Amino acid sequence: MNKFLRIITIVLLCAITAQAQDKKAKELDGFIKKGIADWQIPGLAVTVVKDGAPVFTKTYGVRNQDDGTRVDEHTLFSMASTTKAMVAMAMAMLVDEGKVSWTDKVTDHVPYFKLSDPYITADATVKDLLTHNLGLGNADLIWYGIELDAEETIKRMRHAPIAYPLRGGYVYQNIMYAVAGEVIKAASGMEWNDFVKARILDPLGMNDTKLVSKDVKAVDNRVTPHLLNDEDKRITFPTTFSDGIGPAGMIWSSISDINKYLKFIQQNGVNQGDTLIKSNTFEYLFTPQALISKNSFYPTTQLTKPHWTSYGLGWFQHDYKGEKVDFHTGSLAGLIAINGQLRDYNLSVYVFGNMDHAELRHAIMYKVFDLYALGGDRDWRKEIFDLYEGFKAEGEANVRKAKESRVEGTKTTLELAAYAGTYKHPMYGEIIITQKDDKLHFNLNNKHQGLYEHWHYNTFSYVDEFSGLTDSQFNFEISAEGKAKILYFWGYGFVKE
């Protein structure tokens, strides 16, 4: 083949490739638009990176339904728990430098780390902080219900009961990532957020990305959370911030910056020829560390039917069509994200949204995997929407059942005024109860407040929507002396002073 024919062939191949990519982009765009309507999503940002370059990047809708401001490529969304993978990468850099080992004891770096079980306290390793199998149950009320710094948050975990043997189970655990942040601080001499900025964000040119609440709040171009209320009306909702567990989910970023981040992942820790994380260390981040039962994994397993499910270091994992998928979702009230990797195909997808638990994110991920790598024509939008609509119907049925179980005609044991007072829990702070007419006003650490009306016996139920505690209840235990003794909220007992 002469030089002219070679040039013509290359031009034709490029044209065919471009046409194929354009066709895929149009199909994906149409798929996303239909999904946005299904889930009533105000704003969305999506990118697909293949072989180190974006093949699809697009934003949709508005930052805030009340003022109609449009989402653009620099709009900040919450990375939420997809933050965890980036924090694990930061830890990997310290491993490369010999300042940390995955098998180091946590107490060697964070002396005030202490759990209720002395054996687990002594044996817990740095790696254990990142794999959700340390033996602890869920403790999210400690960050959702109270504003604490990282050290105080960690110190309060000594009151947390052990739920299963060390490395003998799995319960998703945000607080241990806060401990990981303190390990980074101890080993590097820098706050975790300063370290991540200096060692990851700045080299990658991720200039939009923010890591602490004051910096996020200073940016006007950021989304507002949205959710559906009890009447299925979409409303705006206050943004959740908690710097105390920042390494678990505090980073906010733009889809423009995420493109740079995904390219870095596809280049296995190398940025513009500069190795930020050694190859073997980077690969270790994606090595399965903890097996997860399917009952503890995402409900989408009902559709993907994986043979195995696991967790690496900041990554959920399962097989799909014989290929290994590494991914992680991020969820805060009214905000969602997902980061999906098909590493053997050098294919990445990332989705941001500002609608509470809009599971279109899963549908987009699997659609991208099929469209750009594995083939297939499943209607992921419909299948996942129908799946979660089924869960929604089950939830509504449970609410109806709970309402039907209300025992009519009962009275409280005591007069309302007798329930007023301060109730304390060693981990979760205090609840102040005051009487307001025929209701009780609830104040959890000055962070969540609401009015509750009598439900039955000594149980009270939430009656309005200004604190985000919809459908919550609390009940009182009365002492032998006939006084309000303990207030139970979310299953935790707060003792009256």
Side-chain angles (χ1 to χ4, degrees):
M1 184 183 294
N2 62 34
K3 183 177 180 180
F4 176 76
L5 288 176
R6 284 200 299 272
I7 293 172
I8 292 296
T9 301
I10 292 170
V11 170
L12 287 174
L13 287 173
C14 288
I16 292 169
T17 301
Q19 187 177 30
Q21 293 288 10
D22 185 57
K23 182 179 178 181
K24 291 176 182 178
K26 287 181 178 178
E27 183 176 345
L28 181 58
D29 181 51
F31 176 93
I32 292 170
K33 287 176 178 176
K34 290 179 181 177
I36 287 172
D38 289 339
W39 272 275
Q40 302 182 53
I41 303 170
L44 203 71
V46 182
T47 191
V48 179
V49 174
K50 181 82 170 70
D51 298 324
V55 294
F56 180 96
T57 301
K58 191 165 183 180
T59 61
Y60 302 83
V62 298
R63 293 165 10 198
N64 186 323
Q65 68 173 13
D66 296 335
D67 60 25
T69 47
R70 301 291 299 179
V71 173
D72 63 42
E73 64 178 2
H74 297 290
T75 298
L76 289 188
F77 287 81
S78 173
M79 289 181 68
S81 284
T82 68
T83 293
K84 290 179 172 69
M86 192 177 288
V87 168
M89 290 177 191
M91 191 73 77
M93 293 175 174
L94 293 170
V95 170
D96 281 345
E97 294 173 4
K99 295 180 178 178
V100 173
S101 167
W102 297 119
T103 56
D104 281 353
K105 303 303 182 186
V106 175
T107 51
D108 290 341
H109 297 279
V110 186
Y112 57 83
F113 173 77
K114 184 179 180 180
L115 301 177
S116 60
D117 185 310
Y119 168 72
I120 296 179
T121 300
D123 203 50
T125 67
V126 168
K127 183 178 72 173
D128 291 329
L129 299 175
L130 307 176
T131 54
H132 309 293
N133 64 348
L134 199 52
L136 297 167
N138 184 284
D140 283 344
L141 187 60
I142 201 171
W143 65 266
Y144 180 76
I146 187 170
E147 292 289 349
L148 300 170
D149 62 22
E151 182 172 341
E152 181 59 26
T153 299
I154 293 165
K155 285 181 176 179
R156 292 197 182 197
M157 287 301 291
R158 67 189 59 189
H159 300 291
I162 300 304
Y164 57 91
L166 175 62
R167 305 181 196 103
Y170 171 90
V171 176
Y172 192 80
Q173 174 53 252
N174 281 300
I175 313 304
M176 292 304 101
Y177 270 78
V179 183
E182 293 298 281
V183 173
I184 291 171
K185 177 181 177 180
S188 70
M190 303 169 67
E191 296 289 344
W192 78 271
N193 50 289
D194 293 329
F195 185 85
V196 169
K197 184 177 186 304
R199 299 293 295 274
I200 299 177
L201 303 186
D202 289 348
L204 268 56
M206 295 177 67
N207 300 320
D208 291 338
T209 305
K210 309 300 178 187
L211 301 100
V212 293
S213 60
K214 67 178 179 62
D215 293 338
V216 176
K217 292 174 183 178
V219 177
D220 290 331
N221 188 10
R222 61 182 169 93
V223 294
T224 297
H226 297 75
L227 51 76
L228 296 179
N229 65 12
D230 293 340
E231 288 76 43
D232 272 343
K233 178 183 177 182
R234 192 175 69 191
I235 60 173
T236 57
F237 191 80
T239 303
T240 301
F241 292 109
S242 185
D243 290 329
I245 60 158
M250 189 58 240
I251 300 178
W252 286 57
S253 190
S254 68
I255 208 68
S256 174
D257 274 8
I258 290 296
N259 273 328
K260 302 167 187 176
Y261 178 48
L262 297 183
K263 180 179 179 181
F264 174 65
I265 292 174
Q266 290 190 359
Q267 293 178 337
N268 299 316
V270 176
N271 177 55
Q272 297 180 351
D274 184 15
T275 299
L276 303 187
I277 305 174
K278 293 177 183 178
S279 176
N280 288 344
T281 311
F282 192 84
E283 195 61 36
Y284 190 71
L285 296 171
F286 295 88
T287 300
Q289 303 291 340
L291 291 176
I292 306 175
S293 71
K294 290 181 183 178
N295 291 335
S296 299
F297 208 73
Y298 290 85
T300 48
T301 56
Q302 295 183 29
L303 302 175
T304 57
K305 302 186 184 306
H307 295 88
W308 54 267
T309 50
S310 61
Y311 198 87
L313 300 180
W315 297 96
F316 287 98
Q317 301 158 320
H318 70 95
D319 60 296
Y320 172 61
K321 293 187 175 179
E323 305 293 342
K324 178 172 175 280
V325 172
D326 297 277
F327 77 104
H328 211 294
T329 57
S331 302
L332 288 175
L335 301 169
I336 58 98
I338 196 168
N339 184 354
Q341 306 290 325
L342 208 56
R343 296 184 69 225
D344 286 346
Y345 289 80
N346 230 19
L347 177 64
S348 307
V349 54
Y350 199 104
V351 180
F352 279 129
N354 61 346
M355 182 62 181
D356 194 66
H357 281 88
E359 302 307 337
L360 175 63
R361 56 184 169 178
H362 288 280
I364 293 173
M365 182 176 76
Y366 292 115
K367 177 67 174 179
V368 166
F369 290 163
D370 286 353
L371 193 59
Y372 287 90
L374 304 179
D377 58 358
R378 288 182 70 168
D379 190 347
W380 282 111
R381 177 185 62 83
K382 184 178 186 307
E383 288 192 50
I384 289 181
F385 183 76
D386 289 348
L387 176 69
Y388 280 90
E389 281 294 287
F391 298 143
K392 181 180 178 181
E394 289 176 11
E396 291 171 346
N398 289 334
V399 170
R400 289 193 299 271
K401 185 176 180 181
K403 289 180 178 178
E404 291 168 359
S405 68
R406 183 178 187 178
V407 182
E408 300 290 347
T410 65
K411 295 182 179 181
T412 56
T413 302
L414 310 174
E415 296 295 325
L416 279 187
Y419 296 96
T422 300
Y423 298 76
K424 292 191 173 183
H425 188 283
M427 278 184 67
Y428 301 118
E430 66 179 27
I431 296 173
I432 298 174
I433 299 295
T434 54
Q435 182 181 354
K436 188 171 182 179
D437 299 325
D438 61 343
K439 298 179 179 64
L440 293 181
H441 182 264
F442 170 103
N443 182 334
L444 174 64
N445 300 311
N446 291 320
K447 188 171 183 180
H448 297 289
Q449 301 183 44
L451 283 174
Y452 286 71
E453 67 181 7
H454 180 240
W455 182 252
H456 61 207
Y457 300 114
N458 291 310
T459 298
F460 291 76
S461 184
Y462 188 61
V463 294
D464 58 13
E465 293 184 4
F466 65 91
S467 74
L469 299 171
T470 306
D471 290 333
S472 65
Q473 290 185 336
F474 62 80
N475 65 285
F476 295 93
E477 178 182 321
I478 308 302
S479 71
E481 295 76 26
K483 296 181 179 181
K485 178 181 178 182
I486 302 175
L487 183 158
Y488 289 97
F489 178 70
W490 281 19
Y492 304 110
F494 291 69
V495 179
K496 191 175 185 181
E497 286 188 320

